[in-house]
Amino acid sequence: MKKKFLAGVLALALLNGGVLAAFSADQSQMLVSLSYLTGTFWNDLKATVKQEVDRDTTAMYNEIVAQAGQGSGGSNSFVAQSGVNGNIVTGTIGSGLIWTSGRGMVRSGVLVDATAGNEVAVGGVLSVGHRYLAGADVALVVSSANAQWMTEGNWTVATGNPVEPPVSLPFTDVGTGAWYYGDVVYVYQKRLFNGDSPTRFAPDGKMQRCMMTTVLHRLAGEPAVSYSALFQDVPNGQWYTAGTIWAGSMGVVSGVANSQFDPFSNVTRQEIAVILYRYAQKMGYDVSTSASLAGFRDAGSVASWGQTAISWAVGVGILNGSDGSLLPNGDATRAEVAAMLHRFANWAEKA
């Protein structure tokens, strides 16, 4: 079944390869223009293949659902089922399902979305109103308070461990497939980060020093702060004042020359490591873990004042390299800081 469903995709890939092979021929031997092949012809070809895939998938669904209905005592007969958070819904190969309300996710196996014409990946969310077909034995999990669906074929419902309801992020620039999605969910849930607008997180935006002190202050539970002119460029009454004065008085951050903090400068990756290292020390965590930096091609770029903190951050999994480099002097993005804070919290929970 799965092979048949994917046949259209394979055909499209083969046709693509054929067109590319044609491109490699001597241009003087080409009977049609390159612009036609890559434009009108190719777009029409893709549309045709998509129609074939959709048609085959729907026909396949109807055929197997009919068989499943007959096997359960009636042709095309649906059975209403419902469940609550954590319930495990299992179906055997060839069984059909229409999801009608609530939220469900694929836990294991192969589930084909016959409405959309694609396979739902493990961890993928079911869409209300869509028809699904078990391409192999499949297990789903109810991830909302309750859910309802219609079944054909062999489906069972069993009690499972409750699933934490998914967080609905208000940020339109944080996709569920982004590598930092779970990290943004964490900092949003914990109220550590705000977006730069109600609907924008700005994951690639640079993290400023005053943002970092504010986030750490929130992570610590926002202890009370009495204002003092610790830094000449951090006046009283600003959104970042309490966090910066707290972090400075705790020794988690230090200023620059002439009693200045330089609050709106970007913070680098190694500065983040140092700040988290000092914060961990002040909170009483064991920071004795250390890792060699020899495997990173730019290990020599780590400043002397950042060596210990960077080695600790790598050792406990808070700081990862990027393509074999640490990039210690690179400006940290908001997504990177969210990830480091999330990893720090996971480490601290086990420390």
Side-chain angles (χ1 to χ4, degrees), residues 77-315:
S77 58
F78 282 91
V79 176
Q81 290 186 339
S82 62
V84 296
N85 186 280
N87 279 173
I88 306 299
V89 184
T90 55
T92 58
I93 183 170
S95 298
L97 177 145
I98 298 177
W99 200 259
T100 56
S101 71
R103 187 179 176 100
M105 298 188 299
V106 178
R107 188 181 187 191
S108 63
V110 177
L111 188 71
V112 174
D113 186 334
T115 302
N118 55 29
E119 182 181 325
V120 184
V122 172
V125 178
L126 277 66
S127 299
V128 171
H130 281 213
R131 299 184 303 172
Y132 296 95
L133 184 68
D137 290 351
V138 66
L140 316 175
V141 59
V142 177
S143 55
S144 56
N146 49 65
Q148 295 179 325
W149 56 93
M150 304 290 292
T151 66
E152 288 182 305
N154 300 313
W155 293 90
T156 60
V157 182
T159 302
N161 294 325
V163 178
E164 185 175 344
V167 176
S168 178
L169 291 175
F171 308 122
T172 59
D173 57 351
V174 179
T176 55
W179 66 264
Y180 47 79
Y181 176 78
D183 305 313
V184 174
V185 167
Y186 171 78
V187 297
Y188 176 71
Q189 273 189 313
K190 299 300 182 181
R191 302 181 183 275
L192 301 179
F193 273 47
N194 296 319
D196 68 354
S197 81
T199 59
R200 202 177 103 102
F201 183 76
D204 296 323
K206 305 304 182 184
M207 192 74 173
Q208 296 175 328
R209 287 165 58 83
C210 57
M211 290 180 187
M212 189 64 206
T213 54
T214 300
V215 166
L216 276 184
H217 188 218
R218 291 171 181 164
L219 184 64
E222 296 186 289
V225 179
S226 296
Y227 177 76
S228 65
L230 185 63
F231 304 114
Q232 297 302 314
D233 54 353
V234 179
N236 196 13
Q238 302 301 308
W239 61 267
Y240 55 88
T241 299
T244 303
I245 298 304
W246 170 83
S249 61
M250 287 284 291
V252 174
V253 299
S254 55
V256 297
N258 301 319
S259 298
Q260 304 289 304
F261 182 69
D262 199 12
F264 298 106
S265 286
N266 296 335
V267 65
T268 66
R269 286 162 59 87
Q270 71 178 339
E271 287 173 339
I272 294 287
V274 170
I275 289 171
L276 290 178
Y277 178 79
R278 291 175 180 169
Y279 177 82
Q281 283 182 311
K282 298 298 180 181
M283 295 295 116
Y285 294 112
D286 180 4
V287 292
S288 61
T289 299
S290 182
S292 171
L293 305 181
F296 298 98
R297 64 171 61 96
D298 58 350
S301 299
V302 177
S304 58
W305 49 265
Q307 288 282 343
T308 301
I310 289 276
S311 296
W312 164 79
V314 171

